[in-house]
Amino acid sequence: MSKQQVTVPDIGGAEGAEVIEVLVAVGDEVSVDQGLIVLESDKASMEIPSTVAGRVVELLAATGQQLAEGAPVAVIEVAQEEGVAAEEAPAEEAASSDRGTPAAVADEQDSRPVDAPAAEQTPAATPVAASGQGASAGSEQTVSVPDIGTDEAVELIEICVAVGDTVAEGDSLVALESDKASMEVPAPSGGEVTELLVRVGDLVKQGDKLLVLRGSPPAAASTPAPASTPEQTPATPPASAAKAPAVAAAREAAPAESSGTYAGPAVRKLAREFGVSLQQVTGSGPRGRIVKEDLHQFVQKALSGKPAGAVAGAGIPAIPEVDFAKFGPVERIERSKVDKLTAANMQRSWLNVPHVTQFDEADITALEEFRAGLKPEAEQRGTRLTPLPFILKACAVALRDNPRFNSSLADGGEQLVYKGYIHIGMAVDTPAGLVVPVIRDVDRKTIWELAEEVLELAARARDRKLSPGDMQGGCFTVSSLGSIGGNGFTPIVNAPEVGILGVSRADIKPVWDGQGFAPRNMLPLALSYDHRVINGGDGGRFMTRLVALLGDIRQLLM
Ligand code: CAO
């Protein structure tokens, strides 16, 4: 056994960043690239991954601490094979070793700065990607998404500028967010925004075009001489750039005056979670930047009945804060981000959507017999077949037959959008909180395909490996507590979807068959829907169809 210390890699800012979440505990087994802590600066938030696989024997970082590059995070006891210590393996030997051995770990460490985060967790490696004419006066350049450290598309959550705005080098142009990090893309040089090529909500990858900048005359550039020199960054960063600090995090950004608000991604994200428009918050940071404290004060004021602003649920009396310690010992812990986001989404749906929940039971005796008969085949295929894939398939057919359930409100309620696809979200209970990955085109997939996807998405959800795209585009949600228990619950609609099915635990019950009581396997179902879109008749028809489909799965083929 050898011990290795994981330290904070280059996070693009000498001042460091705050530890906002510790993801592991002493004694936990961790794999290479598994997140240990989450750091957040005013420009970016990022997971700091383990560079080795092993057991956490010491945690050297705690929530609230400010950490700079090189600060120790944790000590990992590395499982050692054949007496070769990771740090002793020569590079050549390491390169030829099997992946996953300590030697291979040493190889990875050699190939990037020892404590650099894995590519997928590094917000970005080059300051900006720009093509075209550079920033010379009057010439145009297209600004593209720089190396954001992942091949996966990330969501564009904010456009900080508008056509006609004049920006200085380093001004934030757009903000991007993945499940691992959020980051701002700065202007490569000063100029005027002449064209926007993206919209909020777009999923973008490295190299995708963002906007067009027309270079300002040198005199108009607000940055000093070196920075106003046209800087033509190649679309493919040179090798040395690959180790450059994170996008924008490396820069002391100037205020994005044109957007009217000046705040880092972490503050912007928090504002979205609170449902607060940053336009209403006064910044107390340098040059009027909005810092977290400003947001907290704004929300506190809003909840205490002072100017309510845009807080969701404004006008509703706040639940008073209680000093629980008065009544006995207590422990206060920070909630995970997923947890807080879920809470905000739930409250938003609960306050906006007039809910109705309808109950029924499906007789799944035949389905369960059929499923039991498929167990050997499932084993052969290396998968597991639970009732969920059948329920998803039945929902897809019921959605096809009742298209209003496959719609969403638009234009402030003036229009309904009917979707020509059937993507169904599946609530997954994870240690970090509730997440809802989406299975696409459920109507077109076989039961086996659905079974595999359920397993795969649930595993990725629990390992926190879902991308934002995995959780978007749902038309309807299934929340199954069947494996956990209970005989009924009222699920909250996952707006802007209009329906959600809550599945409880099936049980053998005596059912009257016209002549006597017969033991039948009954599955309790609860269908919640948005009564602005779905009326009782629609709800009844959907549920009746679903119960019929699950009662006779041959109909799923029709
Ligand atoms: N009735 C009886 N048994 C059921 C059942 C039901 N309705 N649903 C599942 N089971 C059984 C399965 O068949 C399996 O047993 P076998 O292996 O013997 O067949 C066992 O329970 C475990 O199932 P599972 O949970 O591993 O798999 P699943 O496909 O049923 O569910 C998933 C997958 C990801 C949806 C589930 O694990 C999960 O996270 N559920 C929680 C969702 C949630 O939190 N919802 C609340 C949201 S609102 O707060």
Side-chain angles (χ1 to χ4, degrees):
M1 293 284 176
S2 72
K3 288 184 182 171
Q4 290 208 13
Q5 196 178 71
V6 179
T7 56
V8 176
D10 179 357
I11 50 171
E15 298 148 33
E18 185 184 339
V19 181
I20 57 161
E21 203 173 339
V22 177
L23 305 170
V24 293
V26 170
D28 282 1
E29 292 292 337
V30 294
S31 50
V32 177
D33 289 346
Q34 181 175 337
L36 299 175
I37 57 170
V38 182
L39 285 183
E40 187 173 86
S41 69
D42 60 336
K43 299 299 281 177
S45 58
M46 67 213 83
E47 277 189 17
I48 302 301
S50 178
T51 47
V52 291
R55 197 167 57 86
V56 179
V57 289
E58 209 178 334
L59 263 178
L60 303 166
T63 313
Q65 264 183 328
Q66 287 286 333
L67 299 186
E69 182 183 352
V73 174
V75 178
I76 312 286
E77 193 172 64
V78 184
Q80 196 179 310
E81 271 180 26
E82 295 168 354
V84 184
E87 58 275 29
E88 285 161 13
E92 304 76 27
E93 188 185 319
S96 62
S97 301
D98 287 337
R99 312 295 297 171
T101 63
V105 170
D107 172 33
E108 284 182 17
Q109 288 175 337
D110 286 345
S111 65
R112 61 175 194 237
V114 171
D115 47 10
E120 65 168 345
Q121 281 136 344
T122 311
T126 184
V128 74
S131 61
Q133 310 286 317
S136 55
S139 66
E140 294 208 321
Q141 64 172 328
T142 306
V143 181
S144 313
V145 178
D147 179 356
I148 46 174
T150 172
D151 291 337
E152 285 178 19
V154 298
E155 189 180 351
L156 191 146
I157 56 164
E158 190 175 354
I159 298 176
C160 315
V161 291
V163 169
D165 282 356
T166 304
V167 295
E169 181 190 352
D171 279 359
S172 297
L173 299 175
V174 301
L176 307 176
E177 187 172 275
S178 72
D179 60 333
K180 293 278 184 199
S182 58
M183 64 213 79
E184 289 176 2
V185 176
S189 53
E192 186 193 333
V193 179
T194 57
E195 198 180 349
L196 283 174
L197 305 168
V198 281
R199 280 182 304 185
V200 170
D202 282 358
L203 292 174
V204 293
K205 284 180 166 172
Q206 180 184 353
D208 285 355
K209 295 184 171 106
L210 295 170
L211 50 79
V212 180
L213 266 186
R214 186 187 300 131
S216 358
S222 57
T223 39
S228 62
T229 306
E231 174 190 295
Q232 205 160 349
T233 312
T236 313
S240 60
K243 284 179 187 168
V247 125
R251 295 158 182 260
E252 180 52 49
E257 284 132 2
S258 48
S259 71
T261 55
Y262 177 34
V267 172
R268 289 176 191 280
K269 187 162 184 224
L270 191 63
R272 280 184 290 119
E273 284 172 15
F274 282 137
V276 170
S277 158
L278 282 177
Q279 309 275 356
Q280 298 179 304
V281 183
T282 312
S284 66
R287 288 171 287 163
R289 199 166 101 246
I290 300 169
V291 294
K292 263 192 186 170
E293 199 53 37
D294 300 325
L295 203 52
H296 286 146
Q297 273 176 14
F298 180 87
V299 172
Q300 259 167 18
K301 262 196 206 149
L303 291 177
S304 64
K306 296 189 185 125
V311 174
I316 296 173
I319 297 167
E321 281 273 342
V322 173
D323 178 9
F324 299 102
K326 282 199 305 200
F327 310 109
V330 294
E331 187 193 5
R332 210 177 256 255
I333 53 157
E334 283 303 316
R335 300 178 69 185
S336 73
K337 287 194 166 185
V338 173
D339 230 8
K340 286 191 277 191
L341 203 58
T342 303
N345 288 344
M346 290 295 171
Q347 187 177 22
R348 194 176 59 193
S349 286
W350 183 254
L351 291 172
N352 279 299
V353 176
H355 280 74
V356 175
T357 305
Q358 173 165 352
F359 304 92
D360 209 338
E361 285 180 322
D363 183 340
I364 57 165
T365 315
L367 187 161
E368 283 297 83
E369 279 168 14
F370 180 58
R371 189 173 72 91
L374 289 172
K375 280 217 160 160
E377 188 176 344
E379 265 170 41
Q380 234 173 26
R381 289 171 177 263
T383 189
R384 231 159 42 86
L385 191 57
T386 67
L388 191 55
F390 295 94
I391 295 167
L392 289 165
K393 194 76 184 170
C395 286
V397 174
L399 285 167
R400 186 197 63 199
D401 296 350
N402 297 270
R404 232 176 150 79
F405 270 88
N406 207 35
S407 74
S408 282
L409 284 169
D411 196 18
E414 295 294 311
Q415 294 181 344
L416 270 185
V417 178
Y418 284 91
K419 296 152 202 171
Y421 47 85
I422 298 181
H423 303 339
I424 300 182
M426 165 184 86
V428 182
D429 182 37
T430 79
L434 178 70
V435 288
V436 187
V438 174
I439 303 181
R440 299 196 185 258
D441 300 315
V442 175
D443 52 327
R444 292 200 238 146
K445 290 184 175 155
T446 66
I447 296 289
W448 290 120
E449 284 169 336
L450 292 173
E452 266 164 36
E453 211 165 325
V454 165
L455 279 183
E456 195 253 335
L457 283 176
R460 276 208 283 137
R462 291 184 179 123
D463 293 343
R464 304 177 71 160
K465 292 267 184 319
L466 292 173
S467 67
D470 288 331
M471 292 178 276
Q472 290 166 354
C475 310
F476 183 83
T477 295
V478 173
S479 176
S480 172
L481 291 178
S483 62
I484 298 170
N487 57 15
F489 64 104
T490 54
I492 297 177
V493 171
N494 190 11
E497 297 167 16
V498 296
I500 180 169
L501 183 74
V503 181
S504 295
R505 190 170 191 80
D507 216 348
I508 307 288
K509 289 185 181 170
V511 176
W512 184 255
D513 65 7
Q515 282 161 352
F517 283 101
R520 307 295 297 176
N521 201 341
M522 303 303 289
L523 177 71
L525 301 172
L527 175 73
S528 293
Y529 53 81
D530 184 340
H531 209 350
R532 293 172 303 171
V533 179
I534 309 286
N535 58 36
D538 299 323
R541 277 185 286 276
F542 186 95
M543 185 63 118
T544 308
R545 182 80 175 115
L546 196 60
V547 165
L549 288 163
L550 289 169
D552 180 2
I553 52 168
R554 290 171 304 180
Q555 289 190 51
L556 292 176
L557 301 170
M558 311 308 281

